[in-house]
Amino acid sequence: MVKGKVHKYPDNVDTDVIIPARYLNTANHAELAAHCMEDIDPNFKEKVTRGDIMVAGWNFGCGSSREHAPIAIKESGIACVIAKTYARIFYRNAINIGLPIFECEAAADGIEDGDEVEVDFSSGKINNLTKGESYQAQPLPEFIQNIVNKGGLLNSLK
Amino acid sequence: MGMTMTQKILAAHAGLDEVKPGQLIMAKLDMVLGNDITSPVAINEFEKAGFTDVFDKTRISLVMDHFAPNKDIKAAQQTKQSRQFAMKHGIVNFYDVGCMGIEHALLPEKGLVAAGECVIGADSHTCTYGALGAFSTGVGSTDMAAGMATGKAWFKVPGAIRFELKGKLGKYVSGKDVILHIIGMIGVDGALYKSMEFGGPGLASLTIDDRLCIANMAIEAGAKNGIFEVDEITRAYMDGRAQHPYTVYAPDPDAEYEKVYEIDLAAVRPTVSFPHLPENAKTIDEAAAMNIAIDQVVIGSCTNGRLSDMAAAAELLKGKKVAKNVRAIVIPATQHIYKECIRLGYIDTFIDAGCVVSTPTCGPCLGGYMGVLAEGERCVSTTNRNFVGRMGHVDSEVYLASPAVAAASAIAGKIANPEEVQ
């Protein structure tokens, strides 16, 4: 269960705006986080606090396969991402690095920027504390929960 | 129930007789690919997890193409780390400056991928190899690390959209126009999580370069993979080139598709995708009428850096000049293509026209180097993405097009129809 303030984004947020390629000359997580969302929300790194939640529309994370994108989001302190749908490589990458991620159209429509939101990872229940609404996302399938619980894909293989 | 090409290949690699859409499987991999940006992340994960050996040193390809020749000190550190890993593990297919090319042009050229294979690459355009009838998909660095360690990857079996091609492309119309037209039709998430399967009588008129270009941009419609039926053209390309015996899979006659589109190739016009999404497609007739002045043209990339792309650009640029105030950057995708361009006189044509010709690199496509855009600048590019800030400043614009349209636009100084420039 996590609770945090929402940073809301539109449809088709691509990995080039999540972490522009000009910063891909490093794999250092902190350096990547320093430029997270820079081309879509230049003040993101000042606004974000640990435990916040990112919400977006359709096809979040489209484009490049760069794992640097979910890494930058996770390292920024984002505890969970909720979107209507995800581009498939971003979806895989988020799970593989242990960034919890949910698909929920109703939540993405109902939640606004700045809302206080609570997410229960095991049930997929999302509560909007600001608006007094709740939404139901599909909980993660069991084999994916296993990867997340073990701290990522590679740890689950050991 | 019948299976699509992709489902058959995945079933075979999972040791199953049959798979269904949505089923989770563990599949054996024939090739695992990484580049100088994604490999360092994978190597860190591989080492952090305590793996000491790769599953097969002949079935891993590491290609230093994105920021190589090294664009700065940090990029140099990343290729150094990849190089040291390749040496330590005896990676046979390590391609560094001097023998490297843009990965998705290089691997097919070297015969490292072929029909029926199951391939992952830590680069989204790994879907390119579907042109040869392989299942091939982009993944992240952690999947690459796991693939290097175990030779396996998990997949959710995708459903499919079938594209039934008929007719023949017109003059100055190429695979690029076909895929931009299709993405314009179905949208950037029109094939999300699915296979795009291409077949039908129109296939016979598409060259391997056209097919590689079309499969390359399947990801731009959100697809898991793009895949082409194998015909005599594919076999002719692979025979004598493929480094392993290949297997040809055809879709079952009763394979289920979520949708079937019929594409009349003869009706496809040269197409330009406007900022800031590949789905913003317009025909060249609409685009040219808008008189959009440009600052730069890039002809190259994993989408359009192949020999036929160079030929299309050279045909238009021969005896012509690039417009004043336009920078034209031409990047043959591999050393082999570069040499062929020299042999065929294309390099002379490009330089005489006022273009600059670069060593193979992905550089400008992702705003890395070799052609970064300033605020307010516009570029017609044969690359694959026109997202906000993709090629440089957040207020620059990228127009995606074929090599013919890009070359015509370089000459005209604005988005132009090759039919009119010629």
Side-chain angles (χ1 to χ4, degrees), chain A residues 12 14-17 20-27 29 31 38-40 58-59 62-68 71 85-89 91-93 95-97 103 141 143-144 147 152-155 157-158, chain B residues 24 37-38 41 44-46 48-49 51 67 71-72 74-75 78 122-124 137-143 145-146 150 153-155 188-189 192-193 219 222-224 277 366-367 385 387-390 392 394:
Chain A
N12 299 315
D14 62 78
T15 54
D16 277 276
V17 294
R22 58 186 178 274
Y23 303 120
L24 297 185
N25 53 7
T26 179
H29 292 193
E31 280 187 62
E38 190 170 291
D39 283 358
I40 188 171
W58 303 106
N59 200 28
C62 61
S64 154
S65 69
R66 60 189 71 160
E67 202 161 291
H68 313 66
I71 289 171
T85 53
Y86 295 89
R88 57 160 289 276
I89 305 177
Y91 189 85
R92 269 187 98 95
N93 288 347
I95 288 161
N96 284 343
I97 66 155
E103 285 190 343
F143 90 104
I144 287 178
I147 293 173
L153 178 68
L154 289 185
N155 287 328
L157 293 174
K158 280 198 278 189
Chain B
L24 291 164
I37 286 178
T38 58
V41 179
N44 291 345
E45 290 300 314
F46 183 94
K48 203 166 73 189
F51 291 111
F67 292 164
K71 85 178 181 93
D72 56 25
K74 285 181 174 177
Q78 297 204 122
D123 187 279
S124 59
T137 191
V139 295
S141 294
T142 296
D143 278 316
T150 66
W154 66 266
F155 297 108
V188 290
D189 59 356
L192 199 58
Y193 304 117
I219 179 69
K224 182 169 207 141
L277 283 175
L366 71 167
R385 292 193 175 125
F387 299 150
V388 168
R390 171 74 178 180
V394 68

Side-chain angles (χ1 to χ4, degrees), chain A residues 119-139:
Chain A
V119 185
D120 184 340
F121 292 169
S122 54
S123 69
K125 186 147 188 232
I126 302 167
N127 294 318
N128 185 337
L129 304 175
T130 305
K131 286 187 157 178
E133 294 175 353
S134 55
Y135 326 95
Q136 184 62 49
Q138 283 284 356

